[in-house]
Each structure stands twice: as C-alpha cells, then as structure tokens.
Amino acid sequence: DAAGSNGRTGIKFVLPFVLNLLGDQKQQLRDEATYFCQVAFQTLGIEQVLPLVAKPLGNEAQFARLSIVGLVESVFEQYIQSQEQSTNPPPQLAPRHVQPLIAPLLKLLMDRLGDVRQGAEHILIYVIHVAGIDMVQKAVMDLRQQDQQQVRSSVERCLQQVAPQQLQQQRDFMENDDIDTSYAPPPPQQQQQQQ
C-alpha cells in the first residue's frame, strides 16, 4: 500500500511536466505523453487530475490544445461510463474539482481551430453538470464584453444539452446584466414639468 501511495505521488509530481509534452512537435512523443496521462487519470482519479489540466488547457501550442482537449474529453466520458456501469463507481465530482477548468474552456470556445472549440463545448457540458449554471454564468460575465458575445452561442448550446428549460434565463442574464437600472432619468414630460 505504501508503494502504491508513493507511486501515485510520483505520478502526480511528474504529470504537469508530461502534460507540457502534449505540445511537442514530435507525434511519437505526444502519443506517449497522452498514454501516460490516461494512465495517470486512471491511477489518481479524475478529481485529483482535473485541477492539473487547467493550465495546459491554455497552452499556446496548437498540438497541445488539440491533445489536451481530446484527453480531457475522453477522461470525462470514461468517468461518466464508470458512474453508470461500474459496481464500484468513482467518487462524485464536486464543483471545486471543475471550477479551474471554466476560464480556460471559455477561452478555448474562441479558438481558431474548430476541433478545439467543439471539444471545449463537450467538456463544458460535463462541467455544467457538475458545477451548475451559476458558476459558468459568473465566469462568462467576467469576460470582456466582446468575448462574452463571442462565446454566447457556444454556452447556449451547452445549456441546451444540460438544462434546456433554463436557456431563456441564460439569454436574459447575458443580455441584460450590463444594463444599469439603479437610476433612470424621468421621462421628458416630467422633466419639463419640473423646470
């Protein structure tokens, strides 16, 4: 058991360095890094590894973004499958496990590569299932106005998958949040009467 614990600690220590190799120019090295990451996810558990992939999701290298998005997407799929089919399912994910992924995923929704955008949408659907809509809405509202407009349709598609009944609420939230209703001048007729 101590050996197993030491092995898990070693994997967790090495994993961030291996995740960086997903952006390497050499296909063989990327493939080996992907395999190691899959083993690490299975060994450590998804809840231990997800916080470690937030930074690599923001990697500037095209290969890295494609690889890490594909990896995280497949890990979530395996997790859901284990939850549904395993007699000994993995522990439930909590919002704190997926929160670090939200900001980089929103950035990836604006990526120039269609495969990256599509993968980010799929992952965001899983994240919304775990974290809830409010946490994602807050992260969207923290974006610049221009970026909010750019991710709106993608976020709405994700919401349509998770909570279609709340889609209209999401639209209203995103469209009206920047309007300051704390003070409104009186209508022109009242202004004239006041003079």
Side-chain angles (χ1 to χ4, degrees), residues 125-162:
I125 289 169
Y126 296 125
V127 168
I128 293 171
H129 272 294
V130 176
I133 292 173
D134 290 344
M135 191 177 285
V136 175
Q137 282 180 334
K138 183 182 181 317
V140 170
M141 298 315 297
D142 288 342
L143 296 173
R144 296 177 307 168
Q145 189 72 29
Q146 179 182 351
D147 293 342
Q148 290 179 30
Q149 299 293 330
Q150 202 170 345
V151 303
R152 176 180 296 174
S153 60
S154 295
V155 172
E156 286 185 354
R157 277 194 296 274
C158 295
L159 286 170
Q160 188 66 48
Q161 294 286 323
V162 179

Side-chain angles (χ1 to χ4, degrees), residues 18 22 29-41 71:
V18 177
L22 293 173
L29 197 54
R30 293 199 308 272
D31 290 345
E32 290 172 1
T34 299
Y35 176 75
F36 179 88
C37 291
Q38 289 169 338
V39 171
F41 274 53
L71 178 66

Side-chain angles (χ1 to χ4, degrees), residues 19 67 102:
L19 286 166
S67 298
I102 297 174

